[in-house]
Amino acid sequence: MSARTTVDLLWLEGRIERWIRFGRIVQETIRSRSESTVGFDPGAIFAFVRWSSNDFGTALSRIDILRAVHPSERCSTVPHVSPGGEMLLRLSGWPKVEAALLAIDQVEALGLAPEDVCPDHWRHVHNRLTTGLSPRAYTELRHDAWLKRRAVTA
């Protein structure tokens, strides 16, 4: 069993789109112009976006922010992700997915990589958007506190 978490990506313009919004990809296998598989080391945080349409418009719009797990850890299963991951955020429906993408943009506007922010922030974004509330913005102060907490517990 591989220690890496793999994600199968697909891009069929206007029909099916599965892509990584952020995360440190450490392995990539290109199978065709539209299909590839990427890998993440255990502990890596990444965002996986899935979208599909049919003759009537959007059929699926979903974003998952996951932490890649070690082989012995329990995890949530997610289609196209093997073996799965620790769920930090899971939203479906375009308004919520769009709000999550805006939260990612807000973190990047601070000059931070979204995969480096406190995992609790993504849980917070999930909880707030699930209940129809706006998430609080991630700040440099909160990020500094996260880095210090991580240094003490590492």
Side-chain angles (χ1 to χ4, degrees):
M1 174 188 215
S2 172
R4 288 202 172 112
T5 295
T6 60
V7 182
D8 294 323
L9 306 178
L10 179 64
W11 189 274
L12 301 174
E13 187 71 37
R15 289 187 24 223
I16 301 171
E17 299 172 8
R18 296 192 310 245
W19 48 280
I20 299 299
R21 172 58 179 85
F22 69 79
R24 287 190 183 87
I25 296 170
V26 294
Q27 168 189 346
E28 182 174 21
T29 304
I30 297 172
R31 293 195 302 271
S32 71
R33 287 182 60 144
S34 58
E35 294 181 79
S36 64
T37 300
V38 295
F40 297 92
D41 283 335
I45 294 176
F46 62 95
F48 178 44
V49 180
R50 291 179 283 155
W51 176 89
S52 66
S53 69
N54 58 26
D55 293 339
F56 304 101
T58 297
L60 172 80
S61 183
R62 178 178 293 276
I63 185 169
D64 297 286
I65 298 180
L66 305 160
R67 184 185 64 80
V69 295
H70 293 272
S72 61
E73 288 182 283
R74 288 179 280 170
C75 62
S76 298
T77 58
V78 176
H80 314 291
V81 178
S82 179
E86 178 187 349
M87 192 66 58
L88 304 177
L89 177 144
R90 178 174 229 173
L91 297 168
S92 61
W94 179 245
K96 290 179 182 176
V97 170
E98 182 180 36
L101 292 171
L102 289 172
I104 294 167
D105 291 343
Q106 182 269 323
V107 166
E108 290 176 330
L110 293 173
L112 300 172
E115 59 269 23
D116 293 334
V117 305
C118 179
D120 290 341
H121 176 68
W122 300 122
R123 291 181 184 102
H124 162 78
V125 172
H126 166 87
N127 291 335
R128 297 286 288 202
L129 293 177
T130 298
T131 59
L133 300 171
S134 296
R136 288 186 295 276
Y138 195 74
T139 64
E140 290 179 14
L141 184 63
R142 181 166 181 187
H143 188 65
D144 289 341
W146 158 242
L147 294 176
K148 289 175 183 172
R149 186 173 85 207
R150 190 174 64 181
V152 169
T153 58

